[in-house]
Amino acid sequence: ALHAALGEWEDGSVSWQGWESEAYATRPLFARMIGAHQEDVALLTFLAEGAATVAASLPTGRVVVGEREFQSNLFPWLALKDRGFDVDLVPATDGVVRTEALVEATTEGTVLVAVTEVQSSNGFRVRVADLAARCHEVGARLFVDLAQSVGVLRFDAPASGVDFGAVVGYKWMVGPRGATWLWIH
């Protein structure tokens, strides 16, 4: 598929309609892979678009995010400061933002916690279930960047407690022409 896409670009025969139909055909496949309903899966261009879409839907409040998040899961949340949000950057210890620190930072008034399940810079894995439990205790939502994990690690969307998960198709999964999926619980 990748070679075909490159060939279409090179010879000028690219069809946007073809690209879209291929991408939409992946929705039920991706949903089945994570145990979700295809109606809960949106197709996006890139992960930051998913984060920004979720950010735009939030009620004003406090957002918790680790200071070592990759730009696509950091900048959309930092931009909320201009809309009156309190954005709390959880510091790293020895280069890692630990699950315990994120849980401790998630207090009353938190509307969302944003985290990457597996950090690209060091491979550290957050305990999503612990973070989801804390989010639900205080009425916060949980956005998880699953780019480094889904496709190589199992993700059971309904059992995870995650409210929003975003996955890119160019990491562990080969998606159609670099598709990104946003799962909304």
Side-chain angles (χ1 to χ4, degrees):
L2 178 60
H3 290 292
L6 290 174
E8 290 172 6
W9 275 103
E10 287 175 357
D11 67 23
S13 66
V14 65
S15 163
W16 293 108
Q17 295 85 2
W19 280 34
E20 286 183 4
S21 66
E22 287 179 26
Y24 280 104
T26 67
R27 285 179 66 220
L29 300 173
F30 176 73
R32 187 170 56 234
M33 186 174 107
I34 66 168
H37 300 286
Q38 76 178 34
E39 304 82 39
D40 297 332
V41 175
L43 288 169
L44 304 166
T45 309
F46 44 89
L47 197 131
E49 181 182 6
T53 300
V54 171
S57 73
L58 295 175
T60 304
R62 188 165 168 273
V63 173
V64 173
V65 62
E67 72 176 359
R68 297 206 28 113
E69 285 295 324
F70 191 72
Q71 296 171 354
S72 56
N73 195 29
L74 179 62
F75 290 170
W77 314 116
L78 291 176
L80 290 174
K81 288 182 178 183
D82 294 339
R83 290 186 33 217
F85 284 76
D86 176 23
V87 180
D88 184 8
L89 291 177
V90 177
T93 304
D94 299 323
V96 172
V97 178
R98 305 203 176 277
T99 304
E100 296 80 12
L102 290 162
V103 166
E104 186 178 311
T106 305
T107 59
E108 293 296 326
T110 302
V111 295
L112 183 114
V113 175
V115 67
T116 300
E117 182 180 22
V118 176
Q119 290 292 314
S120 63
S121 62
N122 55 27
F124 180 78
R125 187 175 185 190
V126 170
R127 291 188 314 276
V128 171
D130 294 355
L131 197 49
R134 180 61 183 157
C135 285
H136 297 151
E137 283 176 18
V138 300
R141 295 176 183 159
L142 179 59
F143 178 95
V144 181
D145 172 349
L146 299 160
Q148 305 297 333
S149 55
V150 168
V152 70
L153 300 174
R154 291 190 189 277
F155 180 71
D156 182 344
S160 70
V162 171
D163 299 289
F164 309 99
V167 181
V168 295
Y170 57 84
K171 299 272 179 152
W172 294 106
M173 304 185 319
V174 179
R177 322 230 198 250
T180 297
W181 299 274
L182 174 66
W183 169 71
I184 302 169
H185 181 256

